[in-house]
Amino acid sequence: MPVDCRTAESSRLVAREDVCTCPGATLQVTAPVCGPGVKPPGENAAYEKERLKAVSHGSLMNASWRGQPMCVAPHNR
C-alpha cells in the first residue's frame, strides 16, 4: 500500500511536520512492558534481526534475546 501523509495546519509560519504512515511496511506487534529494574535490550543489528524473527507471529510475548526479555520501557520513565 502507498504511504499516507497528512498535513495539519502546516505553513511557512506554523512549522509542523507532516504525519505519514506506511501501512505496507508496518506491523502491529504486542510487546511486554519491562518490569521494575529491567531495561529493554540495547538496539543493534544482531538484536534487530532476532526481534524481526520473533515478531513474525505478531507478538514479542515470551520472546528473549541473550537471556533477557524482549520488552519495551514504560512510557512514564
Side-chain angles (χ1 to χ4, degrees):
M1 295 176 65
V3 174
D4 178 29
C5 292
R6 297 173 194 236
T7 304
E9 300 178 30
S10 281
S11 73
R12 285 185 312 124
L13 303 174
V14 180
R16 293 193 180 135
E17 295 181 359
D18 292 340
V19 176
C20 298
T21 57
C22 303
T26 315
L27 296 173
Q28 184 171 356
V29 176
T30 302
V33 174
C34 297
V38 178
K39 291 183 179 180
E43 295 289 328
N44 62 50
Y47 175 65
E48 191 173 316
K49 276 184 177 179
E50 204 59 36
R51 182 175 54 200
L52 199 55
K53 285 184 205 173
V55 300
S56 64
H57 61 279
S59 175
L60 289 177
M61 304 306 278
N62 301 318
S64 63
W65 186 69
R66 296 185 180 171
Q68 184 177 351
M70 288 185 179
C71 58
V72 295
H75 289 292
N76 59 357
R77 281 190 183 172

